[in-house]
Amino acid sequence: MAFFGAYAVLGPNGLIALGDYKRQLIAREKQYAQLDQRRAMLQNRVTLLDPRHANPDMVDELVRKELNVAHPDEVIVPLK
């Protein structure tokens, strides 16, 4: 009985490990929230680029970014 009692407290799934599991759960929930927020942002961009009714502003932004073009009267402010 002592062996099983000690294993229930000190074992890899025992009471001492419970605190570590809770810390891991909190960290994973925080990571999940960040990933879910990123997923929502990407889903919005995908929706805006739907070929049936693409958002002209989003298309313009992507084209300018990929082709590195600007109109002569525009001012470009580097962010880096």
Side-chain angles (χ1 to χ4, degrees):
M1 290 294 263
F3 173 74
F4 290 118
Y7 194 76
V9 174
L10 301 173
N13 293 325
L15 293 176
I16 294 177
L18 182 63
D20 187 40
Y21 287 144
K22 287 183 181 180
R23 283 191 295 279
Q24 288 179 5
L25 179 64
I26 290 169
R28 296 288 156 75
E29 286 175 343
K30 185 177 181 181
Q31 182 183 17
Y32 175 77
Q34 291 171 346
L35 290 173
D36 194 45
Q37 182 180 12
R38 174 105 170 113
R39 184 198 57 79
M41 182 200 64
L42 290 173
Q43 180 63 39
N44 183 40
R45 290 178 69 90
V46 167
T47 303
L48 291 174
L49 291 173
D50 184 10
R52 291 172 285 177
H53 49 77
N55 183 325
D57 292 332
M58 180 62 71
V59 173
D60 185 52
E61 175 187 335
L62 288 175
V63 168
R64 287 171 182 262
K65 181 179 176 184
E66 292 298 320
L67 298 178
N68 199 19
V69 296
H71 292 294
D73 61 340
E74 292 180 336
V75 177
I76 298 174
V77 180
L79 298 176
K80 294 182 182 179

